Amino acid sequence: MRKMSGDSELGCTEHLFKVLVIGDHKVGKSSFVKRYVRNQFYEELKTSIGVDFSMKVIDWDAHTRVRLQLWDIAGQERVRGLNRVYFRGSSGAFVVYDLTNGSSLDGALNWKRELDCQVMLKNGHPIPAVLLANKCDETKVSRRNASLLEKLCQEKGFTGCFQTSAKENINVDEAAKFLVKHILQINEESMKEEEQKIHLKPQTNTNSVCC
Amino acid sequence: MCCTSQDVVVNAESSVSSSRVRLEEFKSRAKRSLTESLEGIWKGGNKSKSQRENSEGESNSSSSTTLSSTHQETSLQEPLCSLLLSSPLRSHNSTGNLKHLEGSDRGQEDPESPPQGFRRRASTISHSPMLSSSEPSLPPLQPTAANKPKLVRHYSVSTDSPHQSNPSSSPASSSPVCQRPLRPRSFALDHSTRPLKRSDVAALSSPGCVIGDDSPLRNRRHSWRQQIFLRVATPQKGSEAKESTLEVGSRMALGGGVGGGDKTLGALPEERRKRSGAELRELWRKAILQQILLLRMEKENQKLQASESDLQCKRQKLDYEEITPCLKDVTLVWERMLGTAGRAKVRFDMDEIHGAVGQGVPRQHRGEIWKFLSEQYLLRQEVPSAKPPNNDTPYKELLKQLTSQQHAILIDLGRTFPTHPYFSAQLGAGQLSLYNLLKAYSLLDPEVGYCQGLSFVAGVLLLHMSEEDAFHMLKFLMYDMGLRKQYRPDMIILQIQMYQLSRLLHDYHRELYSHLELYEIGPSLYAAPWFLTAFASHFPLGFVARVFDMLFLQGSEVIFKVALSLLGSHKPLILQHDNLEAIVEFIKTTLPNLGLVQMEKTINQVSEMDISKQLQAYEVEYHVLQDELLDGPSTLSHSQRAAQLEKTNGSLRQQNLDLLEELQVAHAKIRCLETRVDGLVNRDAELQSQVKTLQQEQTDLQQTVCKLRDLLSSLGISNPCPDLQILTNNNQ
């Protein structure tokens, strides 16, 4: 596990979070990442084999800088076992499915289950995961189905759900912001938790504290 | 009935170029006959619809009775019934032999449709995306402090971590409040407490889920999918007619991608409340359009076949930069070897071949040279290859069959060499050949089927030779050269390969190894595609071609050698980077494009390396380590341990099978040698008996001579000349 946060020279906090991007193949994982990181979209992307990384640096607020290490993991069934090792140490996940492909939603739920089995927060809770209904430029979800989606997403333990389009750049930043916010919250909680513990044992906490 | 032929014609014309007069003729004829027949079918009501779903034979007959008898009837009625099943779907049925369907028609379409073709096809109605996109579906909810969980640290731990206090608690088993602390609303997490209806789930993902679109309808659609899937997965007993209907039907499913048949559907104004005539009409309309497209594609097919040997195509395929430019005299050497009469039976000098490969392979002969190398390899095999496919079905026959891997293959078509002109054209010659090749292979080798990565290997082959040759070479690489193992569903071999590569780095480039270890970069982060595509996915084609030259000459070890040599020769550059992202980024993207000189150097190193012993040793090591790990920590829970044991059991079983295979090969070898020994013994006995008879003859003759001599002396003749005469007379 790499250093997750630390004080930069400006006295601001810098966080490094590993975030998984998972889902069946061809649902648009790589496109989502490319759009988010480089704000570009390619019609013809090579199929991902193994895992690809990208890094996104976000100046969250005046005091916080977040580095998101996005792990874009290939979706084909049999490569999955191989990629489980990559789940380790992740702080959050985007679980992507393709609105135009029904089975990919089932796939996304499977991915979520697998994610929860492989990795969890220190306290045993699942890590925050956001469900992305991608390719929403191609089809539309009615209000009724949107609420169904929301319900499903609650039932399956997702932190949230967004209809996105990497192609048309819809909701990409919003979804990412949402996830980062939750990761930061959880982070803060755990900081406080640690502080409390440390206060119990009379010691001072020197670990990264927001200025 | 609102579905007039006029309607369809107008819509169809928007997607199909009007210049194709003959096609138009076909189209309107098909449309007329179909729309007329639709009415009759719908009047039969939904009952007959479901029957059609279940029994193709029935629907076949029903459509044949309703179709007006144009001369096209035979060609139309088959696909139509299957279209009902297949047109709204994306996959799970086979496209049959798609050979040589050219993509040139794309040029005449609406410029916006081609890139979307594949994805669009599934949607039945087009809408403006405004509504859904403008409202984020789930407003972030502020957590209340009261039910916030006690978090210790902000990052996650994996389940196998010893810190974990409650390893067996699955998310579902703990209380909802505890599970979803960030959400003030209370709800059950357990799947069983408030399960969503299956139809709801389907509706969420279905393209046509608009207001008023009922979920039962989705259900029904889903059952079509399953049905077709089942049919593809277990093809029905060789009834030709059924197969062909499916084939044609799915061809049209593909065709929908080309023509963007959805546009017409989008123009449909009516609001559909129930699954009724409107829905069916929709499908029929799609069917008609796809039929039209099919006809067009078939025409293109013929055209393509006519120009198959077109030189331009070859030029396009071979449009890459050689990294080892082949000199004229080397080319002559190759041409001499390739031109040898009865080449497949002649053993050439291996040193000469090695030398020639080392000096370069001329691009224009490369495909032929690969075939030549494979012939030479097989000639030197004492016994037939380690594990020949039991399936000897010829390529052309395989193309007629259906594959369960269709979906996976289709998905990767547009994502294999997407920037190469030969493969980039959607449903162009390249993609169709690739589809055929991968489909045929998946049928030949059901265990491997299709695995991501294979498409690149197949693609490289297709750039250098005809489809059928490429099929045989793929078979050769997979079975004889040992690429096949790494694609097996469990992918354990790939893991072993990663271990082997790590160990090689450790032994040969310690500094680099430590650097990578420091940043926790295992080879699977960068080298998985190297192995699964034989470097084809990330490296320039000139380099890939050289790798393949070596691969055909030396087998799958070459991948290790190239990997090792690449990493080794770029060591200083890799050491300059000092974080995970930068290093992996460098290895994955910068390194492949570093220039010809580096590449050539790498290849030259490869031909001199020999690492087979190390590889073998490391593989054994891997298994030993695995066993040790299993015996080691007893901190695991029973279930985990059981799971692990099961896994080990599985891999041991696989290992056993592999060994069994090897044993069989060895047995075959022994048998072969034994028969040879038998032959030799027999021959020895034969020769000995021959010697005996000759000796016998000799003694006989000597006796005769003696007798004659006695006779002569008894007759008192001492003149030698008559002597001889008598002798010769006697002999005669």
Side-chain angles (χ1 to χ4, degrees), chain B residues 318-329:
Chain B
L318 295 178
D319 185 20
Y320 59 78
E321 202 174 355
E322 282 276 21
I323 66 159
T324 316
C326 193
L327 298 174
K328 252 200 187 133
D329 46 339

Side-chain angles (χ1 to χ4, degrees), chain B residues 527-724:
Chain B
W530 293 0
F531 282 88
L532 291 176
T533 70
F535 293 93
S537 62
H538 286 73
F539 285 76
L541 271 175
F543 180 76
V544 175
R546 287 301 276 158
V547 172
F548 272 66
D549 292 345
M550 304 301 294
L551 196 59
F552 274 97
L553 189 65
Q554 301 187 347
S556 56
E557 266 177 44
V558 164
I559 311 287
F560 284 105
K561 296 182 188 175
V562 176
L564 191 61
S565 162
L566 266 178
L567 291 170
S569 57
H570 296 97
K571 194 195 302 188
L573 291 171
I574 298 173
L575 290 178
Q576 279 174 15
H577 297 275
D578 58 358
N579 65 66
L580 181 136
E581 299 84 34
I583 294 171
V584 175
E585 174 73 10
F586 175 81
I587 296 178
K588 283 188 98 161
T589 18
T590 318
L591 188 147
N593 301 303
L594 275 184
L596 301 184
V597 183
Q598 284 282 17
M599 297 289 173
E600 197 174 350
K601 222 172 88 186
T602 306
I603 293 293
N604 289 341
Q605 279 176 358
V606 165
S607 50
E608 289 157 13
M609 264 189 227
D610 182 15
I611 51 170
S612 54
K613 278 197 189 115
Q614 284 94 323
L615 287 178
Q616 233 163 16
Y618 300 153
E619 188 177 345
V620 174
E621 218 172 83
Y622 178 91
H623 290 300
V624 171
L625 283 174
Q626 205 180 26
D627 292 348
E628 271 178 15
L629 271 183
L630 194 73
D631 295 335
S634 53
T635 51
L636 301 168
S637 72
H638 276 297
S639 61
Q640 273 173 318
R641 184 146 175 86
Q644 212 171 35
L645 280 171
E646 213 161 287
K647 215 171 144 191
T648 323
N649 197 13
S651 72
L652 282 175
R653 206 171 293 154
Q654 186 59 52
Q655 236 175 300
N656 243 344
L657 282 178
D658 288 350
L659 287 173
L660 213 64
E661 264 165 34
E662 271 172 52
L663 192 68
Q664 275 172 350
V665 173
H667 273 314
K669 211 171 196 168
I670 290 170
R671 239 175 286 134
C672 174
L673 290 172
E674 269 173 356
T675 50
R676 204 188 270 181
V677 168
D678 282 349
L680 287 172
V681 168
N682 283 344
R683 181 137 180 76
D684 187 47
E686 239 172 68
L687 286 171
Q688 267 175 354
S689 70
Q690 230 168 8
V691 166
K692 260 183 210 157
T693 49
L694 283 171
Q695 276 172 343
Q696 187 65 43
E697 216 175 300
Q698 197 192 2
T699 49
D700 282 357
L701 284 170
Q702 270 171 349
Q703 276 174 1
T704 322
V705 170
C706 287
K707 267 185 204 159
L708 286 171
R709 234 180 241 147
D710 288 348
L711 199 66
L712 281 174
S713 58
S714 70
L715 288 170
I717 300 165
S718 54
N719 191 352
C721 289
D723 239 357
L724 277 172

Side-chain angles (χ1 to χ4, degrees), chain B residues 12-165:
Chain B
E13 271 177 355
S14 68
S15 63
V16 182
S17 159
S18 57
S19 66
R20 301 177 159 262
V21 183
R22 275 183 69 190
L23 268 174
E24 289 297 327
E25 212 177 281
F26 276 135
K27 254 188 276 169
S28 47
R29 239 185 256 168
K31 268 171 249 148
R32 230 172 296 132
S33 69
L34 282 167
T35 42
E36 278 162 18
S37 63
L38 288 178
E39 235 168 342
I41 293 170
W42 288 326
K43 277 171 187 163
N46 284 345
K47 223 187 276 171
S48 74
K49 167 76 176 68
S50 59
Q51 280 167 354
R52 230 172 291 135
E53 281 174 21
N54 293 328
S55 134
E56 261 180 273
E58 232 170 276
S59 70
N60 231 339
S61 61
S62 80
S63 54
S64 66
T65 51
T66 48
L67 274 171
S68 61
S69 52
T70 61
H71 73 279
Q72 271 193 291
E73 185 178 319
T74 43
S75 70
L76 283 172
Q77 67 192 28
E78 273 189 9
L80 273 173
C81 46
S82 68
L83 263 169
L84 265 180
L85 308 173
S86 65
S87 59
L89 307 178
R90 178 170 293 197
S91 68
H92 293 324
N93 47 2
S94 168
T95 56
N97 182 358
L98 281 166
K99 189 173 183 184
H100 307 316
L101 289 171
E102 203 184 47
S104 62
D105 44 359
R106 283 173 319 99
Q108 291 147 357
E109 284 167 23
D110 180 332
E112 276 179 18
S113 65
Q116 299 169 348
F118 260 103
R119 283 157 56 166
R120 270 253 164 131
R121 201 180 333 118
S123 59
T124 48
I125 298 188
S126 66
H127 349 246
S128 74
M130 293 307 290
L131 243 170
S132 68
S133 57
S134 56
E135 43 164 37
S137 56
L138 237 173
L141 295 162
Q142 294 302 323
T144 55
N147 42 10
K148 273 184 190 174
K150 296 196 164 191
L151 294 179
V152 184
R153 296 175 66 171
H154 69 281
Y155 55 80
S156 56
V157 292
S158 51
T159 44
D160 52 3
S161 152
H163 305 296
Q164 191 194 314
S165 53

Side-chain angles (χ1 to χ4, degrees), chain A residues 77-99:
Chain A
E77 185 86 38
R78 77 181 70 174
V79 198
R80 237 173 254 183
L82 206 67
N83 290 337
R84 269 182 210 120
V85 291
Y86 304 139
F87 283 22
R88 202 163 299 162
S90 45
S91 305
F94 292 109
V95 184
V96 191
Y97 84 96
D98 177 354
L99 268 174

Side-chain angles (χ1 to χ4, degrees), chain B residues 299-314:
Chain B
K299 228 174 163 183
E300 296 297 336
N301 195 357
Q302 283 164 5
K303 256 199 227 162
L304 187 75
Q305 268 169 346
S307 64
E308 192 189 8
S309 56
D310 198 353
L311 271 173
Q312 228 174 2
C313 186
K314 195 174 176 186

Side-chain angles (χ1 to χ4, degrees), chain B residues 384-518:
Chain B
S385 68
K387 195 186 156 198
N390 340 336
N391 193 341
D392 268 344
T393 324
Y395 183 64
K396 295 236 159 60
E397 284 304 308
L398 288 171
L399 286 184
K400 290 180 191 158
Q401 296 175 24
L402 308 166
T403 176
S404 56
Q405 306 281 327
Q406 173 176 312
H407 182 62
I409 296 174
L410 282 178
I411 272 181
D412 277 349
L413 284 189
R415 310 201 293 169
T416 305
F417 300 115
T419 52
H420 192 284
Y422 180 63
F423 291 110
S424 60
Q426 195 165 38
L427 290 186
Q431 289 195 7
L432 290 168
S433 286
L434 190 59
Y435 174 78
N436 286 342
L437 176 54
L438 292 171
K439 172 187 153 182
Y441 185 81
S442 74
L443 289 164
L444 177 86
D445 184 0
E447 191 195 355
V448 164
Y450 172 72
C451 178
Q452 282 196 309
L454 261 184
S455 61
F456 285 92
V457 177
V460 172
L461 294 175
L462 280 175
L463 290 179
H464 292 92
M465 55 188 82
S466 73
E467 216 181 282
E468 191 163 351
D469 282 342
F471 174 71
H472 292 297
M473 288 304 102
L474 184 62
K475 205 161 112 182
F476 172 77
L477 285 180
M478 294 291 274
Y479 283 94
D480 296 288
M481 285 313 190
L483 284 188
R484 183 178 174 277
K485 281 188 200 163
Q486 64 179 1
Y487 297 106
R488 281 199 304 229
D490 58 13
M491 298 212 111
I492 282 175
I493 300 294
L494 188 64
Q495 282 179 43
I496 296 177
Q497 285 171 335
M498 294 300 139
Y499 177 79
Q500 288 169 311
L501 182 60
S502 272
R503 285 290 278 111
L504 284 172
L505 274 180
H506 178 269
D507 286 5
Y508 286 83
H509 304 288
R510 185 65 64 87
E511 202 183 346
L512 189 59
Y513 172 83
S514 315
H515 189 68
L516 293 176
E517 274 301 286
L518 182 64

Side-chain angles (χ1 to χ4, degrees), chain A residues 125-180:
Chain A
H125 290 213
I127 63 168
V130 172
L131 182 65
L132 302 182
N134 198 27
K135 305 189 188 175
C136 75
D137 55 301
E138 289 190 36
T139 181
K140 204 169 67 170
V141 178
S142 65
R143 272 171 202 282
R144 179 175 161 267
N145 283 326
S147 66
L148 269 179
L149 188 60
E150 206 167 314
K151 190 175 145 202
L152 175 84
C153 149
Q154 288 176 5
E155 246 175 49
K156 303 294 179 188
F158 285 101
T159 314
C161 169
F162 288 86
Q163 288 177 47
T164 58
S165 164
K167 188 175 178 179
E168 302 296 334
N169 198 6
I170 301 169
N171 266 345
V172 172
D173 285 332
E174 288 81 352
K177 220 172 191 173
F178 179 80
L179 181 66
V180 171

